[in-house]
Amino acid sequence: FEFSKILNPNEVAPTLVATDVHKLGVPVKNGIRSLTVKECLKLFGFPENYSLDNIKTSDALDLLGNTVCVPVIKAVSNKLIESYMEALETEQIKKTVKVAY
């Protein structure tokens, strides 16, 4: 089993991708171990109660390696909604101005 990167708990984690999530190591007292599914879920920002316990570990890591970070999607979605609402408001103002003239 070969590790391609050893994660430093005091640094930002790299992007987890399906092809190499199995190769990321975590330092422990007596050596190095692989990331757990629970740790990957935390890195992706999933809620504490979210679980992939019914899925084989290798399959769960593959799924997580093909997912996106939940807080990032939330932030992008909120920005899209905000932008859409501003566009609707601007369109409504334009219609109101046209009616007035």
Side-chain angles (χ1 to χ4, degrees), residues 48-68:
E48 286 292 324
N49 63 347
Y50 194 85
S51 171
L52 294 175
D53 291 342
N54 297 332
I55 301 173
K56 192 168 71 170
T57 299
S58 60
D59 291 341
L61 292 175
D62 282 343
L63 285 171
L64 288 168
N66 287 315
T67 192
V68 291

Side-chain angles (χ1 to χ4, degrees), residues 19-31:
T19 56
D20 68 353
V21 72
H22 302 72
K23 296 179 181 179
L24 296 175
V26 180
V28 291
K29 292 179 187 175
N30 299 329

Side-chain angles (χ1 to χ4, degrees), residues 69-93:
C69 188
V70 174
V72 171
I73 294 304
K74 183 177 180 182
V76 169
S77 299
N78 286 338
K79 193 64 178 170
L80 285 170
I81 291 169
E82 180 183 314
S83 178
Y84 178 72
M85 296 305 286
E86 287 174 5
L88 284 178
E89 196 172 293
T90 301
E91 192 60 36
Q92 186 61 38
I93 290 169

